[in-house]
């Protein structure tokens, strides 16, 4: 089973040592790791992540080597105290938090407007196996186009999504591309900062990337052995 991993940086590739071969795709570079997953730096934001992932999925399908799993991986803001700095989160729901409309009565997701979707759910068996192997927390990971920078918005997001553990900017875009290709998706995030007032001094990006690398080292056997046809 081939796995594509759209990522923000190289933490995942570091967890799978070996020779790396780069393949140029339109608007993206795919890194094929020796014995591990293919790694794609998908870019920032849901739109670019969706476009890059769709490009990689389409190229693989046309080459006769379709992927069996897509993993969105990177760092994220964590909702305190549920997801502290340096912790690992595996999404059991990948939700677009700001895809909808503002009304006089508050925010309405596109599903309440009668179209679209706002949530993708990774396979339960894979989520459980990944969380057990890595020691990660499981819950909703929100996708936003604008990073939260105030306590008021953090509280509003948590009120609308009480199971939310983290917010990031790419997961839903990756999940949309995977769904279009009928490929399962998983999202893994390491917490680099708290969701709330923007405080660069409180960010721990290095620690989060180290946690993500260590987590993927533990996840490798799960990703390599998982077969969606055995877990319907």
């Amino acid at each position: 089973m081939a796995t594509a991993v759209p990522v923000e940086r190289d933490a995942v590739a570091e967890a799978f040592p070996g020779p790396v071969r780069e393949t140029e795709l339109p608007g993206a570079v795919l890194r094929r790791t020796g014995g591990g997953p293919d790694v794609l730096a998908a870019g920032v934001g849901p739109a670019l992540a969706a476009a890059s992932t769709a490009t990689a999925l389409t190229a693989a399908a046309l080459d006769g080597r379709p992927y069996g799993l897509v993993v969105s991986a990177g760092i994220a803001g964590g909702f305190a105290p549920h997801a502290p700095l340096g912790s690992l989160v595996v999404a059991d729901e990948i939700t677009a938090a700001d895809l909808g409309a503002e009304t006089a009565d508050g925010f309405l997701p596109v599903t309440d407007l009668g179209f679209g979707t706002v949530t993708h759910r990774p396979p339960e068996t894979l989520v459980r196996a990944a969380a057990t192997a890595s020691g990660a927390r499981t819950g909703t990971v929100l996708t936003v186009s604008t990073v939260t920078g105030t306590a008021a918005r953090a509280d509003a997001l948590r009120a609308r999504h009480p199971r939310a553990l983290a917010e990031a900017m790419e997961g839903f875009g990756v999940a949309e591309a995977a769904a279009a290709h009928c490929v399962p998706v998983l999202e893994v995030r390491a917490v680099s900062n708290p969701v709330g007032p923007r405080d660069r001094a409180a960010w721990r990006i290095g620690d989060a990337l180290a946690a993500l690398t260590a987590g993927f080292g533990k996840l490798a056997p799960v990703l390599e052995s998982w077969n969606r046809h055995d877990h319907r």
Side-chain angles (χ1 to χ4, degrees):
M1 178 195 72
T3 304
V5 184
V7 296
E8 297 166 353
R9 294 183 61 177
D10 291 336
V12 178
E14 292 175 11
F16 295 87
V20 175
R21 180 167 55 89
E22 293 189 349
T23 300
E24 293 283 346
L25 299 176
V29 177
L30 189 71
R31 301 181 67 189
R32 301 185 185 279
T33 61
D38 291 352
V39 179
L40 180 73
V44 176
L48 185 54
S52 299
T53 303
T55 296
L57 287 166
T58 300
L62 291 175
D63 195 37
R65 301 184 304 106
Y67 291 111
L69 176 66
V70 175
V71 183
S72 177
I75 60 177
F79 287 93
H82 314 285
L85 296 181
S87 63
L88 207 63
V89 174
V90 172
D92 57 18
E93 292 185 349
I94 302 168
T95 296
D98 50 14
L99 183 60
E102 291 288 349
T103 74
D105 297 321
F107 177 81
L108 288 179
V110 292
T111 48
D112 287 4
L113 300 175
F115 57 91
T117 185
V118 293
T119 295
H120 291 279
R121 293 177 174 83
E124 293 182 10
T125 53
L126 180 58
V127 170
R128 286 198 301 269
T132 298
S134 63
R137 294 161 168 79
T138 59
T140 301
V141 175
L142 304 179
T143 299
V144 296
S145 295
T146 302
V147 173
T148 297
T150 67
R153 176 168 167 77
D155 291 343
L157 286 175
R158 183 70 181 176
R160 290 207 306 263
H161 307 280
R163 297 187 63 255
L165 292 183
E167 80 166 19
M169 300 182 73
E170 293 78 32
F172 185 78
V174 172
E176 285 276 83
H181 283 260
C182 299
V183 178
V185 66
L186 185 70
E187 183 169 13
V188 181
R189 294 281 171 177
V191 176
S192 59
N193 58 279
V195 177
R198 190 171 174 82
D199 179 11
R200 291 292 299 268
W203 293 6
R204 298 291 181 268
I205 293 177
D207 292 343
L209 290 173
L212 186 64
T213 301
F216 260 88
K218 298 173 183 176
L219 282 175
V222 174
L223 299 180
E224 291 168 355
S225 64
W226 188 78
N227 187 323
R228 62 174 163 169
H229 300 297
D230 295 335
H231 301 279
R232 292 177 178 173

